[in-house]
Amino acid sequence: MEFDDQMRRFFGTDDLGAVSSEGLASGIERMLVEFGLETDKGRRFAMWSLLYMLGSAPDLDVAFKDPRDRDAARTFMDLLDQANAGEGS
């Protein structure tokens, strides 16, 4: 699932700046519901990643049963933190 596809699917646009706070909350709610029903590991990870960036991701132990998936999510979190720290330099 492409990032832009997720944005359009859940928020109706690929520009989050154009989404109202109500639209953002509604999109996150729909995403959380779909995340809970999704069985494809790749799609789940993609949704979790976007939810994480939006500050709404479920905890790793809830989101991923497989320890390797949790490790991949931790790596993603670390990489995102590093990228964000680089922006402040």
Side-chain angles (χ1 to χ4, degrees):
M1 178 181 290
E2 297 290 327
F3 181 77
D4 290 344
D5 294 337
Q6 287 188 65
M7 297 295 290
R8 284 187 291 274
R9 178 181 179 109
F10 295 108
F11 303 103
T13 181
D14 54 7
D15 178 12
L16 266 185
V19 179
S20 68
S21 58
E22 295 84 12
L24 187 63
S26 178
I28 289 171
E29 184 177 335
R30 285 192 309 274
M31 188 176 257
L32 286 167
V33 169
E34 194 163 318
F35 177 81
L37 298 172
E38 184 60 58
T39 58
D40 180 84
K41 290 175 88 167
R43 289 177 59 89
R44 279 182 63 82
F45 192 85
M47 282 190 272
W48 180 88
S49 298
L50 181 53
L51 286 165
Y52 177 77
M53 290 187 283
L54 295 171
S56 298
D59 291 335
L60 294 179
D61 58 336
V62 172
F64 303 109
K65 292 183 184 356
D66 187 327
R68 293 172 296 193
D69 294 336
R70 289 192 297 272
D71 288 342
R74 282 187 197 95
T75 299
F76 174 80
M77 293 164 61
D78 291 343
L79 291 171
L80 192 59
D81 288 345
Q82 289 173 10
N84 289 333
E87 288 179 4
S89 300

